[in-house]
Amino acid sequence: MSIMNYGGIETLLMNLYRNINRESVQFDFLVTREPKGAYDDEIVSLGGRIYNIAAARKVGLYKFREAVNGFFRSHKEYDCVHCHMNSWSGFFLPIAKKNGVKVRVAHSHIANPDYSFGDNLIKGYWKRKIDDNCTHKFACSKDAGRWLFGKSSNFCIINNSIDTKLFLYNEFVRSKLRIKYGVDDRFVIGHIGRFNKQKNHTFLLKVFNEIKSRKENSLLFLVGDGELKQEIENEAVQLNISDNIIFAGTSSKIHELLQLMDVFVFPSLYEGLGIVAIEAQAAGLPCIVSNTVPKEAHITDLIKTMALDETPKAWGDEIIKYENFTRESKLKDIIRSGYDIINTAKYLENFYLSFI
């Protein structure tokens, strides 16, 4: 991983770590960014170790390779390396193989990303290194697996599961948070995601502008941080909608923030799965998502798909339909679809132990 912050993959790993039998299986983390991660203290409290290696973009690929090789050369205690860095698996796993790590897992968490021509060349090079150097291929969806491993490749789907009971709709929590944020009488449209190109915030602002023109009490609640946050804040000012937007920052309490929302909107340009859409359904929220969100995320009747080439007005029309939606528990649907973290943690625990 790059850093253990409040992201989708990082949160999945922490959910697994909390629920796996840590007397039998321990997770350690090799990260490539120096700042302390949001989850670092908890990792240490659970018995894990965090190792930091300066990123390739900072020290150059040669020194980065030497640092990774040096790490595995001096840490022969590991039975398994599980790489969650998509195409970079083709970089890490050959080094792990060279140093005698017997179980080497490449795990895909993204599908059909909109990379530049140059980035596609580089990532294509690393992807070609995976087959000869991994022992197992995992993916969060069929689209994610096909993107990283190829359409004809065999891989195992590992659901991006959640702690389902945390997300149960709670009227008390909803009321408390709506009062805290001053949105008690508002129609709250929510989004959770990093401020980057993938999450398509510019389009989301256009959709919200359409809604606000018809529903003055509407409010856009944005959770997350990222390199494009300032740009999106500026766009909101230009559209004259900034007074109707709350930029809530990052949070470890996503399960609570989902309670205060009325509709969850997710217009991503691409997704490996979109774990936050699973979480939103678990919270009983109607979800309006783009047609790039894989079918594996459609596990309840709460999801409505919209094409990205439909107009912001069309998206707005659909969202407004849910202004007075009555929420109910979808816990059984989530568990039946295989997205409960207890079952996934047990599966991976058995997988790891089978090679020890």
Side-chain angles (χ1 to χ4, degrees):
M1 298 298 300
S2 58
I3 186 171
M4 288 301 293
N5 273 341
Y6 297 137
I9 301 171
E10 296 86 347
T11 299
L12 167 67
L13 293 179
M14 291 307 298
N15 282 335
L16 289 168
Y17 194 22
R18 295 178 191 120
N19 287 280
I20 209 162
N21 182 352
R22 293 185 299 279
E23 293 184 1
S24 301
V25 176
Q26 260 297 341
F27 288 1
D28 290 340
F29 297 81
L30 182 63
V31 300
T32 60
R33 282 174 60 184
E34 293 179 5
K36 184 177 180 179
Y39 285 124
D40 284 10
D41 287 342
E42 184 182 359
I43 289 170
V44 173
S45 74
L46 294 174
R49 293 174 291 183
I50 304 164
Y51 299 97
N52 185 282
I53 294 176
R57 63 179 177 276
K58 184 174 182 179
V59 300
L61 190 61
Y62 176 79
K63 288 185 177 180
F64 184 57
R65 187 192 300 274
E66 287 301 301
V68 175
N69 189 50
F71 171 81
F72 284 116
R73 192 166 54 237
S74 60
H75 290 278
K76 297 293 187 181
E77 68 269 29
Y78 292 107
D79 298 294
C80 174
V81 170
H82 195 144
C83 186
H84 295 271
M85 295 185 70
N86 300 312
S87 57
W88 275 93
S89 293
F91 174 86
F92 287 99
L93 296 187
I95 300 174
K97 180 180 181 180
K98 174 185 174 183
N99 283 278
V101 179
K102 62 181 180 180
V103 182
R104 303 174 301 278
V105 181
H107 200 142
S108 180
H109 293 277
I110 200 167
N112 307 313
D114 185 22
Y115 291 136
S116 67
F117 177 75
D119 281 344
N120 273 322
L121 285 178
I122 295 169
K123 293 179 187 301
Y125 173 80
W126 293 124
K127 284 160 71 172
R128 289 190 291 274
K129 298 280 188 179
I130 293 175
D131 260 3
D132 291 337
N133 294 286
C134 76
T135 58
H136 299 81
K137 301 173 186 176
F138 289 170
C140 63
S141 68
K142 290 180 181 178
D143 287 346
R146 289 165 181 159
W147 176 79
L148 186 60
F149 306 123
K151 293 182 179 179
S152 61
S153 183
N154 293 319
F155 51 86
C156 178
I157 301 292
I158 302 294
N159 289 337
N160 282 6
S161 300
I162 64 173
D163 188 344
T164 50
K165 292 179 182 177
L166 270 182
F167 292 88
L168 284 174
Y169 178 59
N170 187 311
E171 184 65 38
F172 173 76
V173 173
R174 173 179 169 84
S175 297
K176 181 182 72 173
L177 288 178
R178 286 176 75 92
I179 291 171
K180 173 184 175 180
Y181 285 99
V183 300
D184 198 35
D185 59 344
R186 310 291 289 271
F187 175 42
V188 181
I189 295 99
H191 179 274
I192 299 168
R194 184 171 177 81
F195 284 83
N196 59 16
K197 181 180 178 182
Q198 174 192 357
K199 300 303 181 183
N200 205 12
H201 285 86
T202 293
F203 181 75
L204 179 58
L205 291 188
K206 294 176 181 178
V207 172
F208 180 68
N209 192 34
E210 290 288 339
I211 296 170
K212 180 181 174 294
S213 68
R214 285 173 279 169
K215 296 285 182 181
E216 190 59 37
N217 72 325
S218 59
L219 182 133
L220 183 59
F221 194 89
L222 300 177
V223 182
D225 203 350
E227 60 271 21
L228 296 184
K229 184 178 181 182
Q230 185 62 59
E231 182 178 317
I232 296 302
E233 289 177 343
N234 294 340
E235 289 180 13
V237 171
Q238 293 167 10
L239 289 169
N240 196 31
I241 58 175
S242 57
D243 289 343
N244 290 65
I245 301 178
I246 291 178
F247 290 87
T250 59
S251 175
S252 62
K253 303 290 187 181
I254 296 301
H255 56 286
E256 292 189 354
L257 294 179
L258 286 166
Q259 305 294 332
L260 70 80
M261 301 174 187
D262 294 304
V263 183
F264 181 75
V265 182
F266 202 49
S268 298
L269 297 176
Y270 52 89
E271 286 289 344
L273 177 74
I275 189 171
V276 70
I278 305 292
E279 294 171 338
Q281 291 173 85
L285 271 176
C287 303
I288 313 301
V289 306
S290 65
N291 56 353
T292 66
V293 174
K295 295 297 184 184
E296 287 90 340
H298 296 226
I299 57 178
T300 73
D301 58 3
L302 291 173
I303 279 202
K304 167 69 177 180
T305 299
M306 300 283 290
L308 285 172
D309 58 6
E310 293 191 66
T311 65
K313 181 180 182 302
W315 277 69
D317 289 343
E318 188 63 34
I319 292 166
I320 287 172
K321 293 178 183 178
Y322 296 94
E323 182 176 10
N324 298 307
F325 183 81
T326 300
R327 289 162 75 167
E328 59 184 32
S329 173
K330 294 293 181 180
L331 179 62
K332 290 182 179 179
D333 290 342
I334 305 295
I335 294 174
R336 184 168 55 247
S337 298
Y339 282 91
D340 184 73
I341 194 65
I342 300 297
N343 296 327
T344 303
K346 189 62 180 177
Y347 175 87
L348 284 175
E349 178 185 321
N350 291 335
F351 168 79
Y352 294 136
L353 291 176
S354 68
F355 296 100
I356 296 176

